[in-house]
Amino acid sequence: MSILPITVCGDKILRKKAAKVTEIDDKIIKIISDMFETMRNASGIGLAANQIGVNRQIFVVDISPVEGYEKYKPLALINPKIISKSEETSSFEEGCLSIPDLRADIIRPKGIYIQYFDANMKEHTIEADDLLARVMQHEFDHLQGVLFIDYLDEESQKRYKKHLSKIKKRKLEINYPISPNPDYLLIK
Ligand code: ZN
């Protein structure tokens, strides 16, 4: 397993819709284990493949480090599809490893049904609620090229402009490795 650099806002791959995984080979298995290690090294609870420069529909989640969620198992989701969302919404302060040092309250559906394939290409459909649903929606968005800051109103976007430009210019001190430039790609 290796810790890989994390792509940051401004990187082109974060704005691309990720390609479907068609076959699970050793490369994909290695990517998944690297994603877990990279996420944990950065103290994250979710990570999408394009955050390590891989243009594939894969994300990992592990919310067990969060108090009250210790029993939740880590999951790798391949080709995920959100089947339905609850009408009930909730607000939660989100952050993102690709947008360091920025947190903002985002409103999202409180629960979802999500379909995905595991590393054995076995299909699953699960119901996720609260924090798990939150993380999964955030990571699912990544695979569509969407970042949580896209949900902010114009005023907040303006307020964070300077901070974002600092990240883009790599002038922020970040305690985990980040991509060297906006064109960074590990696997196209
Ligand atoms: Zn994120």
Side-chain angles (χ1 to χ4, degrees):
M1 288 211 283
S2 356
I3 294 165
L4 297 168
I6 294 180
T7 54
V8 292
C9 68
D11 288 12
K12 287 175 194 139
I13 191 164
L14 286 178
R15 289 309 193 177
K16 272 198 177 157
K17 192 174 168 15
K20 266 201 174 150
V21 176
T22 51
E23 187 194 354
I24 307 281
D25 51 15
D26 290 350
K27 221 158 80 177
I28 295 286
I29 299 293
K30 166 111 181 26
I31 284 168
I32 292 172
S33 65
D34 287 349
M35 284 172 71
F36 274 116
E37 191 171 11
T38 302
M39 173 181 77
R40 287 176 180 139
N41 176 64
S43 305
I45 53 174
L47 190 78
N50 48 4
Q51 290 183 281
I52 55 157
V54 173
N55 186 38
R56 290 291 180 283
Q57 291 182 26
I58 308 168
F59 70 73
V60 296
V61 288
D62 184 6
I63 59 170
S64 66
V66 182
E67 209 190 320
Y69 294 91
E70 293 85 354
K71 283 186 189 150
Y72 284 75
K73 287 195 182 94
L75 282 177
L77 293 86
I78 298 166
N79 298 342
K81 208 160 100 188
I82 293 178
I83 299 169
S84 68
K85 298 174 177 185
S86 66
E87 268 175 41
E88 194 186 341
T89 57
S90 66
S91 180
F92 184 83
E93 197 184 51
E94 286 187 29
C96 179
L97 295 176
S98 294
I99 313 170
D101 292 348
L102 196 155
R103 303 193 71 85
D105 288 321
I106 304 293
I107 296 168
R108 292 189 192 266
K110 200 174 166 293
I112 55 164
Y113 277 94
I114 190 164
Q115 191 184 65
Y116 66 94
F117 294 88
D118 65 19
N120 299 310
M121 263 316 199
K122 193 174 167 239
E123 196 183 297
H124 301 265
T125 302
I126 59 164
E127 184 183 9
D129 205 9
D130 295 319
L131 183 63
L132 187 61
R134 168 73 50 176
V135 178
M136 285 182 170
Q137 289 177 84
H138 176 116
E139 302 310 329
F140 181 82
D141 272 357
H142 270 299
L143 301 180
Q144 322 307 313
V146 173
L147 299 173
F148 83 96
I149 49 171
D150 299 346
Y151 295 105
L152 297 172
D153 57 33
E154 227 173 284
E155 201 184 303
S156 313
Q157 300 230 16
K158 249 190 209 161
R159 193 156 17 110
Y160 296 134
K161 224 177 154 182
K162 243 192 179 161
H163 183 77
L164 296 180
S165 116
K166 243 179 152 178
I167 298 173
K168 288 176 190 169
K169 288 180 186 154
R170 285 147 176 85
K171 281 186 174 160
L172 204 72
E173 222 173 281
I174 300 163
N175 59 3
Y176 46 84
I178 62 159
S179 61
N181 61 64
D183 296 313
Y184 179 79
L185 254 185
L186 188 65
I187 294 170
K188 199 180 164 187

